[in-house]
Amino acid sequence: MERAALFDVDGTLVDTNHLHVTTWWEAFRQAGHEVPMHAVHRAIGLGSEDLIAHLLGEGRDQDEADALSQAHKTLYATYFERLPALQDAGRLLRRLADDGWAVVLATSAGGAELGALRRAIDADDAIRATASADDVERGKPAPEPVEHALELAGVPAERAVFVGDTVWDMRAGTKAGVRSVGVLSGGIPRADLEEAGAVAIYRDVAQLLAELTDSPLAPGE
C-alpha cells in the first residue's frame, strides 16, 4: 500500500514565519491594536480567522476581523515574488516522491499566496496534491486539513507522516491519527513541539533529508 508524506508549508518548506509575524503585527498596528510580536509568532500557523480570535478574543467585531485579514494579505503579498524556500525543501520532496511516497501539502495558505509558495519550493513535479485553506471549513489545529490531505493521497492515517513547524501542526496531525514530525525552522521551541505530539524533531528539512534513512520517512518504513 502507498504511503503519504504530508507537509505544512510556511516555516516548514518556505522561510516565511517571520514575514507573517511582521505583516500581521503591522495589520494590527494600523487598526489600533498593540499586539506583541512574540504573541503573533506563537499564533502563526492558524488560519486568519482563528489567529485573530486567538489574539484579540472571541468578542471581536467581524467587520474588523475581515479588514485585518485583508490588510495582512495586502502587506504579505508584497513579498510573493521573493519568498525564500528553506534549504533542500524541493530536494526532500523529490527524494520522497522517488521513494514512493505520495507527497501532499497541507497548508493554511490558499489562492495567490499558495501559488507563490509553490513557486518558491519549485518542486511541483513531486507534489501529488494540495489541501489548502480553501478546501476545509476549519483549519489547524483541527484535523480537517490533515484528513483532507489523507483523502487526496488515498491512504489511511497509519500510512502517513505529517511534517510541520508549529504546535498547531502537531496537534492537527495527532488528532488525525498520523505520526507528526516537527522542524525547528519556524522558531517554535523543541519542548513545545514534543508536548504537542511530535514523534521526532529536526533542525529543518535539510537535516531531515540528511538523516532520512533513520527517520519516520525512511524508505521502506
Side-chain angles (χ1 to χ4, degrees):
M1 182 182 293
E2 196 169 36
R3 302 164 297 166
L6 317 178
F7 282 87
D8 171 63
V9 180
D10 284 299
T12 301
L13 298 173
V14 187
D15 194 10
T16 50
N17 278 16
H18 289 87
L19 294 177
H20 278 298
V21 171
T22 300
T23 51
W24 272 116
W25 174 84
E26 178 61 17
F28 285 122
R29 188 197 67 81
Q30 290 178 3
H33 296 288
E34 294 184 8
V35 181
M37 284 196 179
H38 69 83
V40 178
H41 182 213
R42 290 300 185 120
I44 296 301
L46 293 171
S48 294
E49 185 176 341
D50 290 333
L51 181 145
I52 294 167
H54 182 76
L55 293 171
L56 296 185
E58 294 291 343
R60 68 202 181 285
D61 178 84
Q62 186 56 50
D63 289 339
E64 183 187 31
D66 291 343
L68 283 166
S69 180
Q70 187 56 53
H72 165 257
K73 288 180 181 178
T74 299
L75 291 162
Y76 184 68
T78 64
Y79 295 100
F80 277 1
E81 299 310 314
R82 54 189 191 279
L83 299 180
L86 284 154
Q87 181 183 351
D88 289 339
R91 286 184 59 204
L92 174 61
L93 300 192
R94 289 191 177 92
R95 168 66 186 277
L96 291 170
D98 289 344
D99 287 345
W101 293 82
V103 176
V104 179
L105 306 183
T107 173
S108 297
E113 179 184 344
L114 178 57
L117 291 165
R118 290 186 66 145
R119 289 194 299 275
I121 299 166
D122 192 25
D124 276 356
D125 54 307
I127 298 170
R128 171 80 59 87
T130 299
S132 79
D134 301 329
D135 303 320
V136 295
E137 292 186 6
R138 298 180 62 204
K140 306 166 194 171
E144 280 91 332
V146 179
E147 292 171 343
H148 183 52
L150 288 171
E151 292 173 3
L152 293 173
V155 304
E158 61 268 20
R159 295 289 295 171
V161 176
F162 179 44
V163 182
D165 69 296
T166 69
V167 295
W168 319 115
D169 293 324
M170 300 301 101
R171 291 176 184 173
T174 299
K175 290 175 183 176
V178 305
R179 289 177 293 169
S180 297
V181 171
V183 288
L184 302 175
S185 46
I188 300 303
R190 177 184 296 269
D192 290 6
L193 298 177
E194 290 175 340
E195 183 178 353
V199 299
I201 297 178
Y202 298 86
R203 180 187 66 250
D204 50 26
V205 289
Q207 185 186 20
L208 175 55
L209 176 60
E211 301 179 10
L212 196 62
T213 56
D214 295 319
S215 79
L217 289 160
E221 269 290 310

